[in-house]
Amino acid sequence: MLADVTTEPSHRVLVVDDEESLTDMIASALRFGGYEVSTENNGYDALRSIKRSSPDVVVLDVNMPELDGFEVCKRIRRDGINTPVIFLTARHAIDDKRTGFRQGGDDYLTKPFSLEELGLRVEALLRRTQPESDSSRVSVGELTIDEGAHQVWFGEQEIDLSPTEFRLIHFLAINRGRVMSKAQIVAYVWEYDYDGEYGIVETYVSYLRRKLGPAGAKLIETVRGVGYVIR
């Protein structure tokens, strides 16, 4: 159980899995950890629930009939919904993980997993995506980041970012002028090591560059063989 996990009761988690016994077990463990939990058992109901209730985190099974978890995440991101998503799946291959992150996932946990680890990942995801009450701004050229409000502007245009994209650009901005390695970025943005698989960083940097547009993309420089830097 999640006896060591503490959280605010207002944090709402949606658990989606077509295996009812597993869904009930996860939901019970998360409720024990202090979360408000709702459940769905298919992708279509998950889409409706996310749009209706705006949970703080979605724990989303990948292998569901009709509409799988990857497609659910792809659709909510397409609709501009940035709710953090943790994928649950029996797929262990790097290609599957790459697909999950490219569809907009924020974390990826393979089955079998421990309930304690899931709880810790939910807690970590909330910690890095929930804004602080005090606003602090960081500016680099035309780029402005408001950590408290969780907003980003390039010039006069506000840029809509997912929680993970926001944490990545904020990390690069507060370290402006310093080349940050992929290992450093993963440790800060995702808060644990992906066993030397750092393609996720390249994927999210490409997301940022696309959203910032041609002028904004030039702020993020690639230092070949090392990492990235904002100058």
Side-chain angles (χ1 to χ4, degrees), residues 2-17:
L2 308 180
D4 293 330
V5 176
T6 58
T7 184
E8 296 295 328
S10 59
H11 287 150
R12 291 167 290 111
V13 181
L14 172 65
V15 179
V16 185
D17 198 304

Side-chain angles (χ1 to χ4, degrees), residues 145-162:
I145 301 170
D146 189 322
E147 183 180 14
H150 222 261
Q151 293 175 296
V152 176
W153 296 268
F154 187 77
E156 298 297 320
Q157 181 181 359
E158 185 173 354
I159 309 299
D160 185 29
L161 300 181
S162 72

Side-chain angles (χ1 to χ4, degrees), residues 209-222:
R209 285 172 169 159
R210 188 181 313 126
K211 289 187 176 183
L212 289 170
K218 293 177 181 177
L219 286 176
I220 306 174
E221 298 181 14
T222 301

Side-chain angles (χ1 to χ4, degrees), residues 134-199:
D134 294 331
S135 176
S136 58
R137 290 195 174 196
V138 179
S139 295
V140 184
E142 293 187 69
L143 178 69
T144 302
I145 301 170
D146 189 322
E147 183 180 14
H150 222 261
Q151 293 175 296
V152 176
W153 296 268
F154 187 77
E156 298 297 320
Q157 181 181 359
E158 185 173 354
I159 309 299
D160 185 29
L161 300 181
S162 72
T164 301
E165 291 165 347
F166 179 89
R167 191 163 175 85
L168 172 55
I169 198 167
H170 182 260
F171 180 60
L172 292 175
I174 61 177
N175 289 285
R176 55 190 175 277
R178 297 174 56 198
V179 179
M180 307 310 296
S181 70
K182 293 179 182 179
Q184 288 174 310
I185 292 171
V186 165
Y188 179 86
V189 175
W190 288 273
E191 297 189 349
Y192 54 89
D193 189 1
Y194 274 92
D195 298 323
E197 172 53 43
Y198 298 134

Side-chain angles (χ1 to χ4, degrees), residues 46-63:
L47 282 175
R48 286 188 283 268
S49 182
I50 292 167
K51 293 177 181 180
R52 180 180 66 249
S53 61
S54 300
D56 296 305
V57 175
V58 178
V59 178
L60 182 60
D61 183 39
V62 172
N63 296 318

Side-chain angles (χ1 to χ4, degrees), residues 114-135:
S114 75
L115 292 172
E116 182 177 9
E117 181 177 3
L118 174 61
L120 290 171
R121 292 195 184 203
V122 169
E123 185 180 28
L125 193 54
L126 283 167
R127 187 168 59 247
R128 70 178 189 245
T129 57
Q130 295 293 308
E132 300 294 334
S133 58
D134 294 331
S135 176

